Amino acid sequence: MNDKIIRKIADDLHLSSRSVENTLELLKEGCTIPFIARYRKERTGTLDEVQIAAINDLNDKLTELEKRKETIVKTITEQGKMTPELERRIAECEDADTLEDIYLPYKPKRRTKAQVAREQGLEPLATIIMIGREANPDDVARRYVKGDVKTADDALKGAQYIIAEMVSEDERSRQTVRRAFEREAVITSKVVKAKADSEEAAKYSDYFDWSEPLKRCASHRMLAMRRGEAEGILRISITTDDGDCLYRLRRNYVRGNGKCARLQEEAVDDGYKRLLQPSIENEFAARSKEKAETEAIHVFAENLRQLLMAAPLGQRRVMGVDPGFRTGCKVVCLDAQGNLLHYEAIYPHQPLAKTAQAAEAVERMVELYGIEAIAIGNGTASRETAAFMKTLKFNHTVRQFVVSEDGASVYSASKIAREEFPDKDVTVRGAVSIGRRLMDPLAELVKIDPKSIGVGQYQHDVDQSKLKKTLDLTVESCVNSVGVNLNTASQHLLTYVSGLGPTLAKNIVEYRRQNGAFTNRNQLKKVPRLGPAAFEQCAGFLRIPESANPLDNSAVHPESYKIVEQMAHDNGCTVKQLMQDKDLRAKIELKRYVTDNVGMPTLTDIMKELEKPGLDPRSQIEEFEFAAGINTIDDLNIGMELPGIVTNITNFGAFVDIGVHQDGLVHISQLANRYVSDPNEVVKLHQHVMVKVVEIDKKRKRISLTMKGM
């Protein structure tokens, strides 16, 4: 393992080298981030998932940098231009941009104007001009008139091309211009005139003539402008003070006052305008977009985490309703495990308006299938369907919830849905998904591509590989944080359990089908291809409520069962009694159980788990009602105070559903009566909030809201 990389990671992340080294060793062994964070605290120094992921990412980045150094050293050496000093500088370099600056003069390149001039033998003339001692460089230039060089002016121009390229590739020049961009670069957006009046350009109207300091450009504005540029509607540039840059470059390279000085100055200016400035602009364009993408991916991941960790209703008999007007409402009845019992369509709304028949059908289904809760999708006809359901009379209490439909149509047409319901159409599958989301959002939403869930910000404009990696880690973190019932989990949910994956998840489901429910964790070892390493990684995250061993329904890892059994033995009781009796647990002296491999962090976690085995970290679900009589944007008036549900969070504010089929925006400046740097400080996804309407733009279907004073 590279000691230099370990020290660099430790310094950058302010961690101990020992923690970093041990974490990297565990990752190299194939341990997952959730497993390391939960069960290897002694080795990592109790690092959490965020810190472990940061170590992993930085290690990948630094490892790539080391590989790049090897390639550069090899290339320069093969050219016969490597020196001990150059090799030392490359070895000590810790910045990718600086490394590329060092390499640039030696980098194989296409046939440039400077390269042509060198082939014409003009490099000595360029050197003479740069020295600047010749009073009349024209006389010297005439000596180089031959072949394709027809005149002295041609010779001087060729020499200037060489000087321009030399200046543009010099580290000092690049750092000078780079610092200028860092200090004062401005990003400017202009509309392409031919597209200004087009319908597709309207959404970018804010950026038709926009300019701001690059370092203050928020990620959502950056990505909006870049999307407009990609669509051919906007033209984006990043500039700095050319005059200041040229002044600094001339001061570095121009010597004297004669003809040589003038030629030097012209070459420096050409090198800056033609080569150096565009190169650094491209660098900052890429750097700023990457930064914006990183922020957008972070926002998406945080929203996804909140959505996946939304409060579950739990195992209840649920009616799922996919509302609609013309095509009717698709209704499904599910048992407490989410299995489909019945489905039919009802038509309570116009144009058919079979309200009485619809009411009779719903009341019949609720009674026949013992429905305990109704989940209504939040799409078209949602408000009207919820109002209709409120008029019905049931013989027992039936709770009603509005559930996000985002991604339901994607799921209903997916391979997973076809495998689950091969003989049902997409409308039935969509209604099932809505019902299951109420029961357990996590278990159902993992079946859908996260990009389709609708809680992102420009997710289709960012690096897709980075997005997928981050979102997969987020899903994995959530699944393992909650834990999974080994006997009821779907194959897709099991895929995200630490140490499993598609093949082992499929094998578990197949084993379960052939042999019946698992009765203890050790039976996992009988699953084909699930070896000791996979068992170690997954066992602690899988729950078996029906197991004779109560620890099988907890987050206590099987490797720690002996510790708990010893605790019970020392207290003269069974493990079950120890878990049920607070007084027995209070007698335990944890220090007695510390060993070389088991420390206080693990023992403390065990005690928490004995107190509340298998505790679901998610909150309790709450019912919600929109304001009566407010169904469309036409029903809104400025100043109205309304209840709403947070549907999406961006770094510029939060979108809130107030029941009018068009979410309103609470800008970050309107979230609280104080400065807010991150909307997540104030709101969470699916949070119930009170808002006030401050602006209505019916033409663009935009609603501005505030939470100040609410």
Short mmCIF file of all heavy atoms in Angstrom, two decimals, residues 189-236:
data_model
loop_
_atom_site.label_atom_id
_atom_site.label_comp_id
_atom_site.label_asym_id
_atom_site.label_seq_id
_atom_site.Cartn_x
_atom_site.Cartn_y
_atom_site.Cartn_z
N SER A 189 -23.43 34.65 -20.50
CA SER A 189 -24.35 33.89 -21.34
C SER A 189 -25.11 34.85 -22.25
O SER A 189 -25.66 35.85 -21.79
CB SER A 189 -25.34 33.12 -20.46
OG SER A 189 -26.36 32.53 -21.24
N LYS A 190 -25.12 34.53 -23.55
CA LYS A 190 -25.86 35.33 -24.54
C LYS A 190 -26.73 34.39 -25.36
O LYS A 190 -26.34 33.26 -25.66
CB LYS A 190 -24.89 36.05 -25.48
CG LYS A 190 -23.94 37.03 -24.79
CD LYS A 190 -24.64 38.31 -24.40
CE LYS A 190 -23.63 39.33 -23.86
NZ LYS A 190 -24.31 40.58 -23.42
N VAL A 191 -27.90 34.86 -25.73
CA VAL A 191 -28.77 34.05 -26.55
C VAL A 191 -28.29 34.05 -28.00
O VAL A 191 -27.76 35.05 -28.49
CB VAL A 191 -30.23 34.56 -26.48
CG1 VAL A 191 -30.37 35.93 -27.12
CG2 VAL A 191 -31.19 33.56 -27.14
N VAL A 192 -28.39 32.92 -28.65
CA VAL A 192 -28.12 32.84 -30.08
C VAL A 192 -29.29 33.53 -30.79
O VAL A 192 -30.44 33.08 -30.67
CB VAL A 192 -27.99 31.37 -30.54
CG1 VAL A 192 -27.83 31.29 -32.05
CG2 VAL A 192 -26.82 30.70 -29.83
N LYS A 193 -29.03 34.61 -31.49
CA LYS A 193 -30.10 35.46 -32.02
C LYS A 193 -31.13 34.70 -32.84
O LYS A 193 -32.33 34.97 -32.78
CB LYS A 193 -29.49 36.59 -32.85
CG LYS A 193 -28.75 37.63 -32.00
CD LYS A 193 -28.26 38.80 -32.83
CE LYS A 193 -27.55 39.82 -31.95
NZ LYS A 193 -27.06 40.98 -32.76
N ALA A 194 -30.67 33.75 -33.62
CA ALA A 194 -31.59 33.00 -34.48
C ALA A 194 -32.60 32.19 -33.66
O ALA A 194 -33.66 31.80 -34.17
CB ALA A 194 -30.81 32.07 -35.40
N LYS A 195 -32.26 31.91 -32.37
CA LYS A 195 -33.14 31.09 -31.53
C LYS A 195 -33.91 31.91 -30.50
O LYS A 195 -34.74 31.35 -29.77
CB LYS A 195 -32.30 30.05 -30.77
CG LYS A 195 -31.56 29.05 -31.66
CD LYS A 195 -32.51 28.06 -32.27
CE LYS A 195 -31.78 26.95 -33.02
NZ LYS A 195 -31.09 26.02 -32.13
N ALA A 196 -33.67 33.22 -30.43
CA ALA A 196 -34.21 34.06 -29.36
C ALA A 196 -35.72 33.99 -29.23
O ALA A 196 -36.27 34.01 -28.13
CB ALA A 196 -33.77 35.50 -29.55
N ASP A 197 -36.42 33.92 -30.37
CA ASP A 197 -37.89 33.96 -30.34
C ASP A 197 -38.53 32.58 -30.40
O ASP A 197 -39.76 32.47 -30.48
CB ASP A 197 -38.41 34.81 -31.51
CG ASP A 197 -37.93 36.26 -31.42
OD1 ASP A 197 -37.85 36.76 -30.28
OD2 ASP A 197 -37.64 36.86 -32.47
N SER A 198 -37.72 31.55 -30.35
CA SER A 198 -38.27 30.19 -30.45
C SER A 198 -38.92 29.78 -29.13
O SER A 198 -38.59 30.27 -28.05
CB SER A 198 -37.17 29.19 -30.80
OG SER A 198 -36.21 29.12 -29.77
N GLU A 199 -39.85 28.85 -29.24
CA GLU A 199 -40.59 28.39 -28.06
C GLU A 199 -39.67 27.68 -27.07
O GLU A 199 -39.78 27.86 -25.85
CB GLU A 199 -41.71 27.44 -28.51
CG GLU A 199 -42.65 27.04 -27.39
CD GLU A 199 -43.81 26.19 -27.88
OE1 GLU A 199 -44.21 26.36 -29.05
OE2 GLU A 199 -44.30 25.36 -27.10
N GLU A 200 -38.72 26.88 -27.60
CA GLU A 200 -37.83 26.13 -26.71
C GLU A 200 -36.85 27.03 -25.96
O GLU A 200 -36.29 26.65 -24.94
CB GLU A 200 -37.05 25.06 -27.49
CG GLU A 200 -36.17 25.58 -28.59
CD GLU A 200 -36.86 25.60 -29.95
OE1 GLU A 200 -38.10 25.70 -29.99
OE2 GLU A 200 -36.14 25.52 -30.96
N ALA A 201 -36.66 28.27 -26.49
CA ALA A 201 -35.72 29.19 -25.83
C ALA A 201 -36.33 29.90 -24.64
O ALA A 201 -35.61 30.42 -23.78
CB ALA A 201 -35.22 30.22 -26.84
N ALA A 202 -37.66 29.91 -24.55
CA ALA A 202 -38.34 30.69 -23.51
C ALA A 202 -37.89 30.31 -22.10
O ALA A 202 -37.71 31.18 -21.23
CB ALA A 202 -39.85 30.50 -23.64
N LYS A 203 -37.65 29.01 -21.86
CA LYS A 203 -37.27 28.59 -20.51
C LYS A 203 -35.88 29.07 -20.11
O LYS A 203 -35.51 28.99 -18.93
CB LYS A 203 -37.36 27.07 -20.39
CG LYS A 203 -36.49 26.29 -21.36
CD LYS A 203 -36.76 24.80 -21.26
CE LYS A 203 -36.00 24.02 -22.31
NZ LYS A 203 -36.30 22.57 -22.27
N TYR A 204 -35.11 29.55 -21.11
CA TYR A 204 -33.78 30.07 -20.79
C TYR A 204 -33.73 31.59 -20.83
O TYR A 204 -32.65 32.18 -20.88
CB TYR A 204 -32.75 29.51 -21.80
CG TYR A 204 -32.62 28.01 -21.76
CD1 TYR A 204 -33.13 27.23 -22.80
CD2 TYR A 204 -32.00 27.37 -20.70
CE1 TYR A 204 -33.02 25.85 -22.78
CE2 TYR A 204 -31.89 25.99 -20.67
CZ TYR A 204 -32.40 25.23 -21.71
OH TYR A 204 -32.29 23.86 -21.67
N SER A 205 -34.88 32.24 -20.81
CA SER A 205 -34.94 33.70 -20.98
C SER A 205 -34.14 34.44 -19.92
O SER A 205 -33.62 35.53 -20.18
CB SER A 205 -36.39 34.18 -20.97
OG SER A 205 -37.04 33.81 -19.76
N ASP A 206 -34.02 33.86 -18.72
CA ASP A 206 -33.23 34.52 -17.66
C ASP A 206 -31.76 34.64 -18.04
O ASP A 206 -31.03 35.47 -17.48
CB ASP A 206 -33.33 33.72 -16.35
CG ASP A 206 -34.72 33.80 -15.73
OD1 ASP A 206 -35.49 34.69 -16.13
OD2 ASP A 206 -35.02 32.97 -14.86
N TYR A 207 -31.31 33.82 -19.01
CA TYR A 207 -29.89 33.78 -19.35
C TYR A 207 -29.60 34.33 -20.75
O TYR A 207 -28.53 34.11 -21.29
CB TYR A 207 -29.38 32.33 -19.24
CG TYR A 207 -29.60 31.74 -17.87
CD1 TYR A 207 -30.62 30.80 -17.65
CD2 TYR A 207 -28.84 32.15 -16.78
CE1 TYR A 207 -30.83 30.27 -16.39
CE2 TYR A 207 -29.06 31.63 -15.52
CZ TYR A 207 -30.06 30.69 -15.33
OH TYR A 207 -30.28 30.17 -14.08
N PHE A 208 -30.57 35.06 -21.33
CA PHE A 208 -30.35 35.65 -22.65
C PHE A 208 -29.24 36.69 -22.64
O PHE A 208 -28.55 36.89 -23.64
CB PHE A 208 -31.65 36.28 -23.17
CG PHE A 208 -32.62 35.28 -23.75
CD1 PHE A 208 -32.39 33.91 -23.66
CD2 PHE A 208 -33.78 35.70 -24.38
CE1 PHE A 208 -33.28 32.99 -24.17
CE2 PHE A 208 -34.68 34.80 -24.91
CZ PHE A 208 -34.43 33.44 -24.81
N ASP A 209 -29.09 37.36 -21.52
CA ASP A 209 -28.02 38.37 -21.37
C ASP A 209 -27.59 38.37 -19.91
O ASP A 209 -27.97 39.24 -19.14
CB ASP A 209 -28.52 39.74 -21.81
CG ASP A 209 -27.40 40.78 -21.84
OD1 ASP A 209 -26.22 40.37 -21.80
OD2 ASP A 209 -27.70 41.98 -21.91
N TRP A 210 -26.81 37.38 -19.56
CA TRP A 210 -26.48 37.13 -18.14
C TRP A 210 -24.98 37.17 -17.95
O TRP A 210 -24.22 36.69 -18.78
CB TRP A 210 -27.02 35.76 -17.72
CG TRP A 210 -26.71 35.40 -16.30
CD1 TRP A 210 -25.64 34.70 -15.84
CD2 TRP A 210 -27.47 35.73 -15.14
NE1 TRP A 210 -25.68 34.56 -14.47
CE2 TRP A 210 -26.80 35.19 -14.02
CE3 TRP A 210 -28.67 36.43 -14.94
CZ2 TRP A 210 -27.29 35.32 -12.73
CZ3 TRP A 210 -29.15 36.56 -13.64
CH2 TRP A 210 -28.47 36.01 -12.55
N SER A 211 -24.55 37.73 -16.83
CA SER A 211 -23.13 37.78 -16.51
C SER A 211 -22.96 37.84 -15.00
O SER A 211 -23.70 38.55 -14.31
CB SER A 211 -22.49 39.01 -17.17
OG SER A 211 -21.11 39.05 -16.90
N GLU A 212 -21.99 37.07 -14.48
CA GLU A 212 -21.71 37.11 -13.05
C GLU A 212 -20.32 36.51 -12.80
O GLU A 212 -19.79 35.77 -13.63
CB GLU A 212 -22.75 36.32 -12.26
CG GLU A 212 -22.73 34.82 -12.47
CD GLU A 212 -23.71 34.08 -11.58
OE1 GLU A 212 -23.76 34.36 -10.37
OE2 GLU A 212 -24.43 33.20 -12.10
N PRO A 213 -19.70 36.83 -11.65
CA PRO A 213 -18.41 36.23 -11.32
C PRO A 213 -18.53 34.70 -11.28
O PRO A 213 -19.47 34.17 -10.69
CB PRO A 213 -18.09 36.80 -9.93
CG PRO A 213 -18.85 38.09 -9.88
CD PRO A 213 -20.11 37.83 -10.63
N LEU A 214 -17.58 34.03 -11.89
CA LEU A 214 -17.65 32.57 -11.98
C LEU A 214 -17.69 31.91 -10.60
O LEU A 214 -18.42 30.96 -10.38
CB LEU A 214 -16.44 32.04 -12.77
CG LEU A 214 -16.37 30.53 -12.96
CD1 LEU A 214 -17.56 30.04 -13.78
CD2 LEU A 214 -15.06 30.13 -13.63
N LYS A 215 -16.91 32.45 -9.66
CA LYS A 215 -16.84 31.82 -8.34
C LYS A 215 -18.14 31.97 -7.55
O LYS A 215 -18.34 31.30 -6.55
CB LYS A 215 -15.66 32.37 -7.54
CG LYS A 215 -15.66 33.86 -7.31
CD LYS A 215 -14.34 34.28 -6.65
CE LYS A 215 -14.22 35.79 -6.51
NZ LYS A 215 -12.91 36.18 -5.96
N ARG A 216 -19.05 32.86 -8.02
CA ARG A 216 -20.34 33.02 -7.34
C ARG A 216 -21.48 32.33 -8.09
O ARG A 216 -22.62 32.40 -7.66
CB ARG A 216 -20.67 34.51 -7.20
CG ARG A 216 -19.73 35.27 -6.27
CD ARG A 216 -20.14 36.71 -6.15
NE ARG A 216 -19.13 37.51 -5.48
CZ ARG A 216 -19.12 38.84 -5.47
NH1 ARG A 216 -20.07 39.51 -6.10
NH2 ARG A 216 -18.17 39.51 -4.84
N CYS A 217 -21.17 31.70 -9.19
CA CYS A 217 -22.21 31.08 -10.01
C CYS A 217 -22.69 29.79 -9.36
O CYS A 217 -21.94 28.83 -9.24
CB CYS A 217 -21.69 30.80 -11.42
SG CYS A 217 -22.94 30.14 -12.54
N ALA A 218 -23.94 29.78 -8.92
CA ALA A 218 -24.51 28.61 -8.26
C ALA A 218 -24.60 27.44 -9.25
O ALA A 218 -24.73 27.64 -10.45
CB ALA A 218 -25.89 28.94 -7.70
N SER A 219 -24.58 26.24 -8.71
CA SER A 219 -24.54 25.05 -9.58
C SER A 219 -25.76 24.95 -10.47
O SER A 219 -25.66 24.56 -11.64
CB SER A 219 -24.41 23.79 -8.73
OG SER A 219 -25.55 23.59 -7.93
N HIS A 220 -26.95 25.33 -9.97
CA HIS A 220 -28.14 25.20 -10.80
C HIS A 220 -28.11 26.18 -11.96
O HIS A 220 -28.59 25.87 -13.06
CB HIS A 220 -29.41 25.39 -9.96
CG HIS A 220 -29.56 26.74 -9.33
ND1 HIS A 220 -28.95 27.08 -8.14
CD2 HIS A 220 -30.24 27.85 -9.72
CE1 HIS A 220 -29.26 28.32 -7.83
NE2 HIS A 220 -30.04 28.81 -8.77
N ARG A 221 -27.52 27.37 -11.75
CA ARG A 221 -27.41 28.33 -12.86
C ARG A 221 -26.38 27.84 -13.88
O ARG A 221 -26.58 27.94 -15.09
CB ARG A 221 -27.04 29.72 -12.35
CG ARG A 221 -28.15 30.39 -11.56
CD ARG A 221 -27.94 31.90 -11.47
NE ARG A 221 -26.75 32.27 -10.71
CZ ARG A 221 -26.72 32.42 -9.40
NH1 ARG A 221 -27.82 32.21 -8.68
NH2 ARG A 221 -25.61 32.76 -8.77
N MET A 222 -25.28 27.30 -13.37
CA MET A 222 -24.24 26.77 -14.26
C MET A 222 -24.81 25.66 -15.15
O MET A 222 -24.63 25.66 -16.37
CB MET A 222 -23.07 26.23 -13.43
CG MET A 222 -22.00 25.51 -14.24
SD MET A 222 -21.15 26.60 -15.39
CE MET A 222 -20.25 27.64 -14.22
N LEU A 223 -25.52 24.72 -14.54
CA LEU A 223 -26.05 23.60 -15.31
C LEU A 223 -27.16 24.04 -16.25
O LEU A 223 -27.30 23.48 -17.35
CB LEU A 223 -26.53 22.51 -14.36
CG LEU A 223 -25.43 21.81 -13.56
CD1 LEU A 223 -26.02 20.84 -12.54
CD2 LEU A 223 -24.46 21.08 -14.48
N ALA A 224 -27.94 25.04 -15.85
CA ALA A 224 -28.99 25.56 -16.73
C ALA A 224 -28.37 26.20 -17.97
O ALA A 224 -28.81 25.96 -19.10
CB ALA A 224 -29.85 26.57 -15.99
N MET A 225 -27.32 26.99 -17.76
CA MET A 225 -26.65 27.64 -18.89
C MET A 225 -25.99 26.61 -19.80
O MET A 225 -26.06 26.72 -21.03
CB MET A 225 -25.63 28.67 -18.39
CG MET A 225 -26.26 29.95 -17.84
SD MET A 225 -25.04 31.23 -17.44
CE MET A 225 -24.54 30.74 -15.79
N ARG A 226 -25.35 25.63 -19.22
CA ARG A 226 -24.68 24.62 -20.04
C ARG A 226 -25.70 23.78 -20.81
O ARG A 226 -25.43 23.35 -21.94
CB ARG A 226 -23.80 23.72 -19.16
CG ARG A 226 -22.56 24.42 -18.60
CD ARG A 226 -21.67 24.95 -19.71
NE ARG A 226 -20.47 25.63 -19.21
CZ ARG A 226 -19.63 26.31 -19.96
NH1 ARG A 226 -19.87 26.43 -21.27
NH2 ARG A 226 -18.58 26.90 -19.44
N ARG A 227 -26.87 23.54 -20.23
CA ARG A 227 -27.90 22.82 -20.97
C ARG A 227 -28.38 23.67 -22.14
O ARG A 227 -28.56 23.16 -23.25
CB ARG A 227 -29.09 22.48 -20.05
CG ARG A 227 -30.21 21.76 -20.80
CD ARG A 227 -31.45 21.56 -19.95
NE ARG A 227 -31.25 20.54 -18.93
CZ ARG A 227 -32.20 20.18 -18.06
NH1 ARG A 227 -33.36 20.79 -18.06
NH2 ARG A 227 -31.97 19.23 -17.17
N GLY A 228 -28.57 24.98 -21.90
CA GLY A 228 -28.97 25.87 -22.98
C GLY A 228 -27.94 25.93 -24.08
O GLY A 228 -28.27 25.99 -25.27
N GLU A 229 -26.67 25.87 -23.70
CA GLU A 229 -25.59 25.85 -24.68
C GLU A 229 -25.63 24.55 -25.49
O GLU A 229 -25.49 24.57 -26.72
CB GLU A 229 -24.25 25.98 -23.96
CG GLU A 229 -23.04 25.98 -24.89
CD GLU A 229 -21.73 26.04 -24.11
OE1 GLU A 229 -21.60 25.29 -23.12
OE2 GLU A 229 -20.85 26.83 -24.49
N ALA A 230 -25.85 23.42 -24.82
CA ALA A 230 -25.90 22.13 -25.50
C ALA A 230 -27.06 22.05 -26.48
O ALA A 230 -26.98 21.37 -27.51
CB ALA A 230 -26.01 21.00 -24.47
N GLU A 231 -28.13 22.79 -26.19
CA GLU A 231 -29.30 22.79 -27.06
C GLU A 231 -29.19 23.85 -28.15
O GLU A 231 -30.12 24.02 -28.95
CB GLU A 231 -30.56 23.01 -26.24
CG GLU A 231 -30.88 21.84 -25.30
CD GLU A 231 -32.10 22.09 -24.43
OE1 GLU A 231 -32.78 23.12 -24.64
OE2 GLU A 231 -32.38 21.25 -23.56
N GLY A 232 -28.06 24.56 -28.19
CA GLY A 232 -27.83 25.54 -29.25
C GLY A 232 -28.58 26.84 -29.07
O GLY A 232 -28.70 27.65 -30.01
N ILE A 233 -29.06 27.11 -27.85
CA ILE A 233 -29.84 28.32 -27.59
C ILE A 233 -28.98 29.41 -26.98
O ILE A 233 -29.18 30.60 -27.24
CB ILE A 233 -31.03 27.98 -26.67
CG1 ILE A 233 -32.00 27.07 -27.42
CG2 ILE A 233 -31.74 29.24 -26.18
CD1 ILE A 233 -33.04 26.42 -26.55
N LEU A 234 -28.00 29.03 -26.17
CA LEU A 234 -27.14 30.00 -25.50
C LEU A 234 -25.69 29.84 -25.97
O LEU A 234 -25.28 28.76 -26.41
CB LEU A 234 -27.20 29.81 -23.98
CG LEU A 234 -28.56 29.92 -23.31
CD1 LEU A 234 -28.44 29.62 -21.81
CD2 LEU A 234 -29.17 31.31 -23.51
N ARG A 235 -24.94 30.93 -25.86
CA ARG A 235 -23.50 30.90 -26.13
C ARG A 235 -22.81 31.34 -24.84
O ARG A 235 -23.04 32.45 -24.36
CB ARG A 235 -23.16 31.83 -27.30
CG ARG A 235 -21.70 31.74 -27.72
CD ARG A 235 -21.43 32.55 -28.99
NE ARG A 235 -22.04 31.93 -30.18
CZ ARG A 235 -23.08 32.44 -30.83
NH1 ARG A 235 -23.62 33.57 -30.41
NH2 ARG A 235 -23.57 31.83 -31.89
N ILE A 236 -21.98 30.47 -24.27
CA ILE A 236 -21.35 30.71 -22.97
C ILE A 236 -19.87 31.01 -23.13
O ILE A 236 -19.18 30.36 -23.93
CB ILE A 236 -21.52 29.49 -22.03
CG1 ILE A 236 -22.96 28.98 -22.05
CG2 ILE A 236 -21.07 29.83 -20.62
CD1 ILE A 236 -23.98 29.98 -21.59
#
